[in-house]
Amino acid sequence: MNVLHLLPRFRRAYRELKRLEEVEQCSRTELAEIQLSRLNSVWEHAIHHVPYYRSLIEKYRIGKQFSSLEEFQEQVPLLPREEVQKHNADFLSERPDRGWWCVTSGSTGTSTRVHWGKESHLAMLRAKYRYYQMWDIDIFDPAIFLWSHASETKRGWRGAVARLGRKAHDWLRRRIRFIPNQVSTPRLQQCLQRMARFRPRWMYAYSSIAKMLAQVAIEQQFRCDSLQWICLSAEPSTSEMLQFLQKTFSVQVGVEYGATECGVLAGLWPDQTMRIRDDQVILETVPTENNQFAIAVTVLTNPSFPLIRYLLGDTTTQPIIHPVRGFSILPGLIGRDHDYLVNSDGELIHGFFLDDLFEGKSEILCWQAYQHATGLVQVRLQARKSPGSSMIRSMFDELSRAMVEYPVDVQIVDQMPRTAAGKHRRITSELYRSSKQRKGQPVLS
């Protein structure tokens, strides 16, 4: 038995797992009551102790309490991500709980700072533990993390302290870690070798890194019989990717949906529905001009830095489904609002088009596209072995047809640029961002 089981933090976590399981079976009426009660508690704190919300109720004459979730959504305006970035200090409570500042990975182009109270953070972690439990994974089961934090990549003593702390934490929690800041075939082979020696029961990984590892595993004829589950996070995960990982590693695959500033939002349950953690957050799907829906988040657990109707920057193809009993379902999640290229006819080309274009090519590990304001699209392909010229020409021609008159440039690279935390940013389009700004719409990413 791991000695950490005896710590009050984990003893309480195990006790809370049963309660978290029970609330998942509540009726829609009961869940709405839980959300409304927690919302009013956060709102009362916000309007008295948070500068941004004090000014908000004066400007819009919003009530001090809400009688229903519908009244809340009618009265409180949406909160653009840029507002939090520009006026960060105005969102910090004047009476914050003891805790710490966190910084987002910067996959949207700009990092966002958020303060998490300690108890709020622990409540969020318990929701994660409950999600793992659904897949028969215990808090202390041996794991491999294909994951890193931006603080660990910093130079100087702060980065050194962060790395030492992470190593100690991983050792205590029975984890090994693969830092994905620079990814190549030799490094992925080393990762597989470490897995074979360590024999993890589960894997927590960026979606893109897990897929790349699986491609190398096929080539190496690698098997890890101890591995039972893979949890993907932080990046878009297609059904094809899940099936590919299931087949390659002979395991079940889940998807965790969350954000540094908002905590756990939803997870792909064993019944293959993406269920929202309704007791921790209120999620809304707001129609956009692209016939899709922007996701707005209200965090119910962190009054120290309240984010209310916060436009996270993610989109979905369908509105949220609210069953009569049990947590809400988030269908059609497609990732960041900025995951688009714009062709010369003004049409939007989603990243999934490029996924379809490059998926299934055994030579290619991953891809990345950058569109300049002129319309030029530069595509980087990280290859395990050199793709044939006919394959390159075929992909070039298909993408060129989609972009109509905008030029396309395809390059083969040894290393793929990543964010400071190791996250893979698939698409950056200066043209898409500037077109939204010209229309006077909030740039959700």
Side-chain angles (χ1 to χ4, degrees):
M1 175 176 169
N2 193 313
V3 68
L4 293 183
H5 278 89
L6 302 176
L7 293 178
R9 164 184 167 180
F10 293 108
R11 292 170 64 184
R12 181 180 176 187
Y14 280 112
R15 291 196 301 269
E16 285 290 306
L17 292 180
K18 183 63 177 177
R19 184 190 63 79
L20 291 171
E21 182 180 4
E22 290 173 352
V23 77
E24 293 160 9
Q25 309 305 319
C26 287
S27 68
R28 176 52 38 191
T29 301
E30 291 169 329
L31 286 170
E33 291 174 353
I34 291 171
Q35 288 183 320
L36 184 62
S37 174
R38 294 184 177 181
L39 168 65
N40 278 326
S41 177
V42 171
W43 182 251
E44 182 178 11
H45 181 94
I47 62 176
H48 285 101
H49 305 294
V50 182
Y52 176 82
Y53 294 102
R54 274 204 301 262
S55 63
L56 196 70
I57 62 169
E58 293 176 3
K59 182 177 180 180
Y60 292 97
R61 297 183 180 179
I62 304 171
K64 295 183 178 181
Q65 291 278 282
F66 303 106
S67 59
S68 68
L69 296 177
E70 291 76 17
E71 180 186 15
F72 156 67
Q73 293 168 0
E74 290 172 359
Q75 291 191 16
V76 180
L78 294 168
L79 172 61
R81 189 188 188 101
E82 295 75 24
E83 190 72 21
V84 180
Q85 292 169 340
K86 292 176 183 176
H87 306 287
N88 198 253
D90 290 343
F91 288 87
L92 177 64
S93 170
E94 294 159 346
R95 295 176 56 185
D97 294 334
R98 185 166 60 90
W100 47 82
W101 285 92
C102 298
V103 182
T104 63
S105 66
S107 62
T108 61
T110 305
S111 296
T112 304
R113 297 175 72 244
V114 59
H115 183 276
W116 274 94
K118 181 181 177 180
E119 285 302 315
S120 301
H121 180 72
L122 290 176
M124 182 269 293
L125 288 179
R126 292 174 201 130
K128 289 169 72 78
Y129 300 154
R130 167 58 194 148
Y131 179 57
Y132 304 157
Q133 186 187 52
M134 290 181 189
W135 295 92
D136 196 27
I137 297 296
D138 183 75
I139 298 172
F140 294 103
D141 279 343
I144 178 168
F145 272 44
L146 278 67
W147 191 270
S148 64
H149 296 268
S151 60
E152 298 164 32
T153 65
K154 293 180 180 178
R155 297 180 180 179
W157 68 269
R158 283 189 174 86
V161 169
R163 288 187 290 274
L164 284 172
R166 181 60 59 186
K167 286 182 179 179
H169 190 246
D170 285 345
W171 180 77
L172 289 168
R173 296 292 295 271
R174 302 175 68 195
R175 297 172 182 163
I176 59 172
R177 187 176 298 266
F178 175 77
I179 306 297
N181 299 77
Q182 293 182 339
V183 182
S184 63
T185 298
R187 291 204 68 214
L188 291 169
Q189 291 170 343
Q190 292 172 8
C191 181
L192 293 175
Q193 292 169 4
R194 291 186 67 192
M195 284 181 64
R197 293 193 298 269
F198 184 72
R199 295 184 57 77
R201 192 163 191 271
W202 66 291
M203 176 192 297
Y204 187 82
Y206 290 121
S207 303
S208 62
I209 300 294
K211 187 185 77 170
M212 294 167 69
L213 188 70
Q215 290 172 318
V216 175
I218 291 174
E219 189 176 80
Q220 298 286 310
Q221 297 184 333
F222 172 84
R223 291 193 61 83
C224 183
D225 295 334
S226 65
L227 193 68
Q228 300 296 313
W229 184 57
I230 296 174
C231 182
L232 304 179
S233 188
E235 298 172 346
S237 304
T238 63
S239 58
E240 291 78 13
M241 182 185 296
L242 301 186
Q243 293 168 8
F244 177 60
L245 292 171
Q246 288 170 351
K247 182 178 179 181
T248 302
F249 291 108
S250 300
V251 298
Q252 296 180 305
V253 182
V255 178
E256 178 189 271
Y257 175 48
T260 301
E261 66 268 48
C262 300
V264 175
L265 302 177
L268 183 67
W269 282 18
D271 66 1
Q272 298 304 300
T273 58
M274 181 65 77
R275 296 280 180 158
I276 300 166
R277 195 75 222 180
D278 285 334
D279 57 339
Q280 302 254 330
V281 296
I282 298 173
L283 251 61
E284 304 172 56
T285 39
V286 183
T288 71
E289 62 169 356
N290 304 325
N291 296 319
Q292 294 174 352
F293 299 85
I295 295 176
V297 183
T298 298
V299 181
L300 301 175
T301 57
N302 189 25
S304 296
F305 197 96
L307 294 174
I308 300 173
R309 303 201 76 201
Y310 171 65
L311 289 167
L312 179 61
D314 285 348
T315 56
T316 181
T317 58
Q318 302 173 51
I320 291 170
I321 298 170
H322 299 289
V324 175
R325 182 168 293 276
F327 282 177
S328 305
I329 299 172
L330 181 63
L333 183 64
I334 58 176
R336 289 296 186 185
D337 174 72
H338 62 221
D339 281 351
Y340 294 98
L341 300 174
V342 184
N343 69 16
S344 59
D345 288 341
E347 298 172 331
L348 300 181
I349 310 297
H350 194 273
F352 287 153
F353 171 81
L354 279 78
D355 267 333
D356 292 339
L357 192 59
F358 302 131
E359 287 292 323
K361 310 295 191 302
S362 60
E363 297 88 346
I364 297 172
L365 283 172
C366 65
W367 61 270
Q368 191 174 71
Y370 190 98
Q371 184 174 33
H372 296 264
T374 60
L376 167 66
V377 177
Q378 292 181 314
V379 177
R380 298 185 183 98
L381 302 177
Q382 183 176 354
R384 186 164 67 252
K385 54 185 178 180
S386 180
S389 58
S390 60
M391 177 186 294
I392 295 292
R393 172 53 60 181
S394 174
M395 293 186 295
F396 175 86
D397 289 344
E398 191 165 350
L399 182 55
S400 294
R401 284 193 292 272
M403 300 310 300
V404 191
E405 296 181 3
Y406 283 153
V408 174
D409 177 44
V410 179
Q411 303 171 349
I412 306 297
V413 299
D414 295 327
Q415 298 283 347
M416 192 66 71
R418 290 180 173 268
T419 68
K423 198 171 179 180
H424 179 56
R425 189 173 182 186
R426 304 188 309 165
I427 291 178
T428 303
S429 176
E430 296 178 6
L431 193 61
Y432 178 62
R433 179 175 287 272
S434 62
S435 68
K436 294 199 77 174
Q437 289 173 331
R438 284 197 302 272
K439 293 177 181 179
Q441 298 164 343
V443 182
L444 304 185
S445 61

